[in-house]
Amino acid sequence: MNDFRPGDPIDLRSEAMRKRVAESHIGDFELTAARVVARLTGERVVVQDDNSDRGMVDIRIDYRGRPPGYVEVVMDIDPGYSAMASFVRGQRAVPVPDLGRVWFVTVSPRARIQRLIRDLPAKLRLLQQAEALFEYVTGQQQLEKHQSRQVRDLAALGIVQLASRPARDGEEGRVLLFGQGTGGAAEQDWTAFHGWLRDYLHDENRADVRRKLRATNADERHVFVGMSFSTPWLAYHALSEDYNGLPERPPELPGEITHLWVYAYPTGRCLAWFPDKGWVDPRACWATE
């Protein structure tokens, strides 16, 4: 694990720790961040935080000829969304053969998933009896305002979207559960991006991140931020693959942070900001293959 190859981070975490984070619904985001840093810098990048010291920063950049830099990795994800996504990831399909249909059910972070799974079969049977099949779905459904009381009851349980189709030959009826993502206007809004980023980095909930970086006394103190589907839409969408270009002004960083990386994970772009370079798109300037 300690053989250095430019572009490949060195991972000092235990096999059990790597396996645990890899199996989460987010995946091993620290290793993803380390790979991006390693490929852009071409330096020896070490994933060093093995939980042996609460004050240890996640990643160390061992520069040749100058002191190391440090990178703390954070993910902007709502705890309710995280819990919901973790459960849905493992329990997505609910067999209900007697329905004779396949239902696609999108749930919000406030949904009580176990209760929902228990109650859904009976409630969907009532919908089918009322011929509320949701076969043709367009736009926002606003289920909480639906004329059917049964549909409003489902909305009260945390369901935000419904669709169904007949079961095909050889296929049994079932319910497929999906976690709610984000959505909104299809426009690149750098003002919204900067506002969210400023508030996120200065928030009291990031005090530990700032403290750990300050304690390194390093000249380079990086934060690598992962945006998730629970990040405000306009901020997340600003890094969509649909767009090119870079922000026109620097981020508003706390004093403890000198360098920044932001990744609209897992479907968008990753950008970096260095005080001597400004904003860069790492994919356009990899130091390694």
Side-chain angles (χ1 to χ4, degrees):
M1 296 296 295
N2 294 315
D3 294 334
F4 170 56
R5 292 184 300 176
D8 289 339
I10 296 167
D11 194 344
L12 300 183
R13 300 171 301 172
S14 68
E15 184 64 31
M17 186 176 178
R18 291 196 296 269
K19 184 174 186 294
R20 183 171 65 253
V21 295
E23 290 177 349
S24 72
H25 74 277
I26 296 174
D28 195 343
F29 186 64
E30 283 187 18
L31 185 59
T32 296
R35 283 174 174 154
V36 173
V37 174
R39 290 195 65 193
L40 181 62
T41 64
E43 303 286 352
R44 184 177 185 269
V45 172
V46 181
V47 183
Q48 64 173 12
D49 186 6
D50 58 2
N51 286 343
S52 62
D53 181 351
R54 289 191 60 185
M56 185 178 292
V57 178
D58 295 320
I59 295 169
R60 186 180 73 249
I61 309 172
D62 288 334
Y63 288 110
R64 290 159 286 190
R66 58 188 172 102
Y70 293 89
V71 186
E72 185 67 2
V73 180
V74 291
M75 173 66 74
D76 175 35
I77 187 163
D78 177 78
Y81 181 90
S82 181
M84 175 271 292
S86 293
F87 194 96
V88 169
R89 184 174 185 261
Q91 304 285 335
R92 193 169 95 174
V94 181
V96 193
D98 67 290
L99 287 178
R101 301 185 69 83
V102 176
W103 281 88
F104 304 86
V105 177
T106 303
V107 298
S108 75
R110 65 184 176 83
R112 298 172 59 185
I113 302 294
Q114 294 190 11
R115 178 186 172 187
L116 197 59
I117 289 175
R118 182 193 69 201
D119 295 348
L120 261 177
K123 291 184 178 296
L124 292 177
R125 289 187 194 99
L126 290 175
L127 286 190
Q128 292 186 184
Q129 291 169 10
E131 297 187 353
L133 301 178
F134 291 88
E135 290 186 296
Y136 306 99
V137 178
T138 58
Q140 297 294 319
Q141 292 185 318
Q142 296 185 311
L143 301 181
E144 71 280 1
K145 298 179 181 180
H146 199 276
Q147 61 185 4
S148 166
R149 179 178 59 81
Q150 287 90 352
V151 174
R152 296 196 300 273
D153 287 346
L154 288 174
L157 292 176
I159 292 176
V160 295
Q161 190 165 18
L162 289 167
S164 80
R165 61 167 173 78
R168 302 186 177 111
D169 290 344
E171 184 179 41
E172 291 188 330
R174 66 190 190 280
V175 179
L176 298 179
L177 291 172
F178 299 88
Q180 182 182 22
T182 56
E187 59 185 60
Q188 190 174 42
D189 190 331
W190 289 126
T191 299
F193 171 78
H194 280 293
W196 163 80
L197 188 57
R198 177 198 62 231
D199 293 347
Y200 182 78
L201 293 175
H202 286 81
D203 192 278
E204 183 60 27
N205 289 327
R206 253 58 66 196
D208 188 56
V209 171
R210 299 191 297 269
R211 177 189 59 78
K212 288 168 69 175
L213 287 171
R214 182 175 62 246
T216 66
N217 291 315
D219 291 335
E220 284 195 11
R221 304 180 300 275
H222 303 235
V223 167
F224 197 114
V225 181
M227 310 166 86
S228 76
F229 289 138
S230 63
T231 298
W233 166 254
L234 285 175
Y236 183 88
H237 187 67
L239 297 192
S240 168
E241 289 284 8
D242 293 336
Y243 306 118
N244 295 311
L246 299 169
E248 295 181 353
R249 62 183 176 90
E252 298 176 47
L253 301 179
E256 300 88 345
I257 300 171
T258 63
H259 295 64
L260 176 69
W261 311 69
V262 189
Y263 183 8
Y265 185 77
T267 61
R269 301 167 68 200
C270 177
L271 300 182
W273 184 86
F274 289 14
D276 58 337
K277 297 178 181 178
W279 287 102
V280 298
D281 184 336
R283 295 177 303 182
C285 48
W286 293 130
T288 64
E289 292 298 326

